[in-house]
């Protein structure tokens, strides 16, 4: 089914490493979303939820790679609508619908999470926190995995022609993300400001997906640079807060 002789070519290994790195970068937002959403589960189920979420993402990506012709077909217009900024009519494709719905879901879910963090977590009458069910969390993870997997595979198709290399890159990148997902989740959960920053990133990515659905392309490099720059600034602020000693006021001479 697959031609293994391609691995005798050094260019194949360069392509594999490049695509693996790209898949890890593109999967960061997926890890962030999964790490935040599994917090709705009881603490003892967090690791299980993250593992299931990333394994589902892996299955979706491999399934899409084995359906390259279907993915290419999603770029063909299903119908046309008249929009003011498009003279010849706007062709709505299957890709546009997936990106639009996925972007709206990401914006709505991230906004809800921010609202919950500001208002405080819901509790039962006895003061114990309320948790969601595993099935409900997995359903939300599946929805966002479909969107992120679709975006990831489109990038892979644009960089590499060999399906075997794509599958290997996806498997390796998912293995790396699975190994570090716990560290990422713990870091985000220990630092409320980082969690709020991560949710803001997800809203920005959701807006980007919606704009792409309307064929308004945004260079992803700008998005990821903004995310990286904001993260570095926040890390510097966290270090500064730890080093800064509290201000002690002098006693009033009138006391």
């Amino acid at each position: 089914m697959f031609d293994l002789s391609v691995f005798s070519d050094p260019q194949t290994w360069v392509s594999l490493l490049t695509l693996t790195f790209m898949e890890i970068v593109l999967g960061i937002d997926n890890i962030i979303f999964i790490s935040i959403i599994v917090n709705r589960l009881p603490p003892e189920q967090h690791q299980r939820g993250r593992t299931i979420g990333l394994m589902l993402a892996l299955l979706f990506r491999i399934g899409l790679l084995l359906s390259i012709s279907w993915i290419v077909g999603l770029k063909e217009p299903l119908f046309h609508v008249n929009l003011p900024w498009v003279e010849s009519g706007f062709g709505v494709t299957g890709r546009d619908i997936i990106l639009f719905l996925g972007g709206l879901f990401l914006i709505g879910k991230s906004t809800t999470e921010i609202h919950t963090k500001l208002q405080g977590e819901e509790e039962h009458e006895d003061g114990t926190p309320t948790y969601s069910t595993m099935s409900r969390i997995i359903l939300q993870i599946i929805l966002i995995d479909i969107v992120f997997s679709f975006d990831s595979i489109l990038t892979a198709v644009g960089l590499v022609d060999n399906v075997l290399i794509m599958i290997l890159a996806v498997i390796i990148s998912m293995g790396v993300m699975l190994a570090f997902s716990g560290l990422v989740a713990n870091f985000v959960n220990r630092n409320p400001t980082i969690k709020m920053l991560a949710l803001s990133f997800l809203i920005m990515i959701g807006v980007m997906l919606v704009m792409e659905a309307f064929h308004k392309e945004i260079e992803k490099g700008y998005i990821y640079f903004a995310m990286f720059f904001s993260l570095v600034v926040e890390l510097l602020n966290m270090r500064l807060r730890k080093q800064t000693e509290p201000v002690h006021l002098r006693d009033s001479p009138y006391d």
Side-chain angles (χ1 to χ4, degrees), residues 2-220:
F2 297 112
D3 183 13
L4 299 181
S5 62
V6 296
F7 290 99
S8 60
D9 184 2
Q11 184 62 36
T12 299
W13 293 98
V14 174
S15 300
L16 178 61
L17 291 175
T18 303
L19 185 55
T20 300
F21 176 76
M22 287 297 299
E23 289 295 322
I24 293 174
V25 172
L26 292 173
I28 291 175
D29 42 16
N30 206 348
I31 292 181
I32 293 174
F33 180 84
I34 293 176
S35 299
I36 292 175
I37 199 67
V38 296
N39 283 334
R40 295 289 185 181
L41 296 171
E44 63 273 11
Q45 296 184 15
H46 287 182
Q47 180 59 45
R48 181 186 172 200
R50 286 194 299 269
T51 302
I52 292 176
L54 289 174
M55 292 305 295
L56 286 173
L58 174 61
L59 293 177
F60 279 124
R61 281 163 168 78
I62 293 178
L64 289 174
L65 284 172
L66 297 176
S67 308
I68 294 296
S69 59
W70 179 72
I71 293 177
V72 174
L74 287 175
K75 294 184 177 181
E76 296 298 323
L78 300 175
F79 55 91
H80 291 78
V81 296
N82 293 323
L83 294 178
W85 61 85
V86 181
E87 295 181 358
S88 59
F90 182 83
V92 179
T93 67
R95 173 181 180 270
D96 297 334
I97 295 174
I98 293 175
L99 293 180
F100 179 74
L101 295 178
L104 289 183
F105 173 75
L106 196 57
I107 293 171
K109 187 61 185 176
S110 301
T111 303
T112 302
E113 287 293 324
I114 291 176
H115 181 267
T116 301
K117 299 304 177 187
L118 295 176
Q119 294 294 112
E121 302 287 346
E122 295 183 1
E123 297 180 345
H124 293 292
E125 294 182 359
D126 58 359
T128 58
T130 59
Y131 294 113
S132 185
T133 61
M134 178 66 76
S135 58
R136 186 174 180 181
I137 295 300
I138 293 302
L139 177 60
Q140 296 181 52
I141 291 176
I142 288 175
L143 292 175
I144 207 63
D145 274 347
I146 292 174
V147 179
F148 284 145
S149 297
F150 187 78
D151 189 44
S152 173
I153 296 309
L154 285 177
T155 301
V157 172
L159 291 177
V160 180
D161 296 327
N162 193 301
V163 177
L164 177 59
I165 296 176
M166 297 180 195
I167 293 177
L168 287 176
V170 167
I171 293 175
I172 294 172
S173 62
M174 278 297 164
V176 173
M177 288 189 284
L178 188 60
F180 290 95
S181 62
L183 295 175
V184 173
N186 292 334
F187 177 72
V188 171
N189 292 330
R190 285 197 311 266
N191 300 279
T193 55
I194 293 294
K195 179 178 289 188
M196 196 63 66
L197 191 62
L199 289 169
S200 301
F201 289 160
L202 292 176
I203 292 177
M204 183 168 60
I205 292 171
V207 172
M208 180 187 70
L209 293 176
V210 171
M211 293 189 67
E212 286 188 4
F214 286 97
H215 300 180
K216 298 292 184 180
E217 298 291 334
I218 300 178
E219 180 61 44
K220 289 184 174 64

